[in-house]
Amino acid sequence: MSDTLTLAKQLIARPSLTPQDEGCLDIIGAHLTPLDFNLEQMRHGEVDNLWARRGDAAPLVCFAGHTDVVPTGPVEQWDSGPFMPTVHAGMLYGRGAADMKGSIAAFITATERFVAEYPQHKGSIALLLTSDEEGIAVDGTVRVVEALRKRGERLDYCIVGEPTCVGKLGDTIKNGRRGSLSGTLVVKGVQGHIAYPHLVKNPIHLAAPAIAELAATVWDEGNKYFPPTSWQISNIMGGTGATNVVPGTVEILFNFRHSTASTTDELMAKVHAILDKHGLEYDLRWEMSGKPYLTPHGDLVDAVAAAIKQVTGIETELSTSGGTSDGRFIADICPQVIELGPLNATIHKLNECVAVADLDALSEIYYLTLRKLLAE
């Protein structure tokens, strides 16, 4: 077995259901200590975080990821145990194989090789790892970023190992992500008997025209890297459960996935203007779980794209599609953040897997990226 496969299997064998780490960071630390990394454990609540850095000069190249995994689903429906890493027909099976213990293993073996070949490399190398990415993500990467910001520690380049590829390793780099802005809207009416409509105000009826306008609004046109901003309702809750009672309130949960073409302040102002135009009495609570970020062509994108081309022969594509990642937090202290990992076809599914050959190829891509940024 290759070193990358061996390490990936060791990590997969740890049942690190979010937000538990189950010793994964100890395994990783044992690889980093001999390389003269300074290991800093940052535990918050039930979450284990690791900031590991080698060197104190710029530029700083950081690998970022998570050791926690999503629940397995019905264990009996797996062909082999989700925490019993199994290789079959060239594929490594196990929860976290693609998302993202395979990437972490590739981080480590790429770094080990690079440091062995370039012990006096310029700049610094770091790893930022957490066990709180698949969960609510409040005590993980965001906490480490806060600590680094307070002491003025800044990253120059960051590669997040999320599974980004669609059909073949290296075909897609995520060079940005949309922001996520959620709202909890409560429209107020007057509750009463359904047979006496003149004595009630039905909040569902009152809200309907505003909902229609919100759904039809073009918030922006997007830009070169992002699709147009999307507004979607996820839940509507109203009523007492009885068929003869008009409710007094209706609660509407909605979300914006927005591009860099719109700011959160602009989106919030537009929503309030529409609700006010319809004369609604309402309460609206906002929650922003992530700002959009974008890394255009530059040192990092070009280095990773060249490494992919050298290893796979593929001309990679840049994409900002999909949901959020911890890159949204790291972008606050790092001007260039991208995501690159294995294929995402089986993530969060039963029988999650990654091609064994892709693990070694991914390690090679990470190694060449380090070489281009810190040794050439």
Side-chain angles (χ1 to χ4, degrees):
M1 292 190 296
S2 72
D3 291 342
T4 308
L5 175 58
T6 298
L7 180 53
K9 293 179 73 173
Q10 290 174 347
L11 295 173
I12 292 168
R14 300 297 179 114
S16 54
L17 295 171
T18 189
Q20 304 303 316
D21 170 71
E22 293 295 329
C24 290
L25 292 179
D26 292 335
I27 294 172
I28 294 163
H31 282 261
L32 297 177
T33 298
L35 304 180
D36 295 325
F37 274 80
N38 177 52
L39 306 185
E40 187 175 353
Q41 297 276 351
M42 298 184 184
R43 184 170 175 85
H44 294 276
E46 296 183 335
V47 176
D48 289 298
N49 304 301
L50 175 66
W51 172 246
R53 179 166 180 166
R54 183 182 198 272
D56 54 13
L60 170 57
V61 180
C62 177
F63 292 115
H66 60 90
T67 60
D68 60 322
V69 297
V70 297
T72 63
V75 174
E76 68 277 6
Q77 294 184 26
W78 284 70
D79 292 340
S80 55
F83 301 112
M84 296 176 60
T86 302
V87 175
H88 176 70
M91 304 296 293
L92 171 63
Y93 290 85
R95 176 58 84 222
D99 189 14
M100 55 175 286
K101 292 179 177 180
S103 295
I104 292 175
F107 287 164
I108 301 301
T109 56
T111 301
E112 289 175 326
R113 178 183 171 191
F114 178 76
V115 170
E117 295 184 9
Y118 301 94
Q120 303 301 319
H121 63 81
K122 66 181 180 180
S124 306
I125 307 172
L127 283 91
L128 195 170
L129 302 174
T130 182
S131 66
D132 184 35
E133 196 275 345
E134 297 290 9
I136 58 176
V138 297
D139 286 324
T141 298
V142 65
R143 296 285 194 182
V144 180
V145 168
E146 288 172 357
L148 297 178
R149 184 192 294 112
K150 286 181 180 178
R151 64 196 193 199
E153 204 161 351
R154 181 177 174 84
L155 286 60
D156 295 287
Y157 311 112
C158 183
I159 300 173
V160 185
E162 291 291 346
T164 58
C165 299
V166 180
K168 187 175 181 181
L169 180 70
D171 63 11
T172 306
I173 293 173
K174 300 286 187 182
N175 69 318
R177 293 281 190 164
R178 292 176 294 177
S180 179
L181 175 65
S182 297
T184 301
L185 171 65
V186 177
V187 177
K188 301 176 182 179
V190 176
Q191 180 176 320
H193 198 293
I194 206 164
Y196 298 92
H198 59 290
L199 299 178
V200 302
K201 290 183 180 180
N202 193 316
I204 300 174
H205 295 179
L206 295 172
I211 292 173
E213 183 170 348
L214 289 165
T217 296
V218 177
W219 305 95
D220 59 49
E221 299 292 342
N223 54 36
K224 177 182 177 181
Y225 293 101
F226 287 97
T229 291
S230 169
W231 181 86
Q232 296 291 330
I233 289 176
S234 59
N235 288 273
I236 295 182
M237 294 159 283
T240 65
T243 60
N244 61 349
V245 179
V246 169
T249 61
V250 60
E251 183 178 74
I252 301 165
L253 309 183
F254 63 83
N255 177 267
F256 282 104
R257 291 300 167 105
H258 66 99
S259 71
T260 52
S262 292
T263 67
T264 55
D265 287 342
E266 290 169 344
L267 296 174
M268 290 189 291
K270 289 180 181 179
V271 170
H272 281 285
I274 290 171
L275 298 175
D276 293 341
K277 183 178 78 172
H278 288 274
L280 299 179
E281 183 182 358
Y282 66 91
D283 292 323
L284 178 51
R285 185 177 73 254
W286 294 98
E287 180 181 358
M288 182 185 70
S289 58
K291 295 183 293 185
Y293 72 91
L294 176 66
T295 300
H297 277 284
D299 293 342
L300 180 59
V301 168
D302 294 346
V304 175
I308 291 171
K309 176 71 172 178
Q310 186 171 337
V311 174
T312 69
I314 290 176
E315 296 286 351
T316 192
E317 294 186 3
L318 302 182
S319 172
T320 60
S321 64
T324 59
S325 78
D326 277 0
R328 69 192 189 273
F329 305 128
I330 299 168
D332 283 343
I333 60 169
C334 184
Q336 298 187 49
V337 180
I338 64 100
E339 299 170 30
L340 174 66
L343 273 65
N344 58 23
T346 64
I347 60 174
H348 294 202
K349 294 183 178 180
L350 301 174
N351 294 319
E352 179 182 349
C353 60
V354 63
V356 171
D358 285 355
L359 291 176
D360 290 326
L362 187 59
S363 179
E364 179 75 6
I365 291 168
Y366 293 153
Y367 160 78
L368 290 174
T369 301
L370 285 172
R371 198 170 74 180
K372 291 174 187 298
L373 294 174
L374 298 181
E376 293 181 358

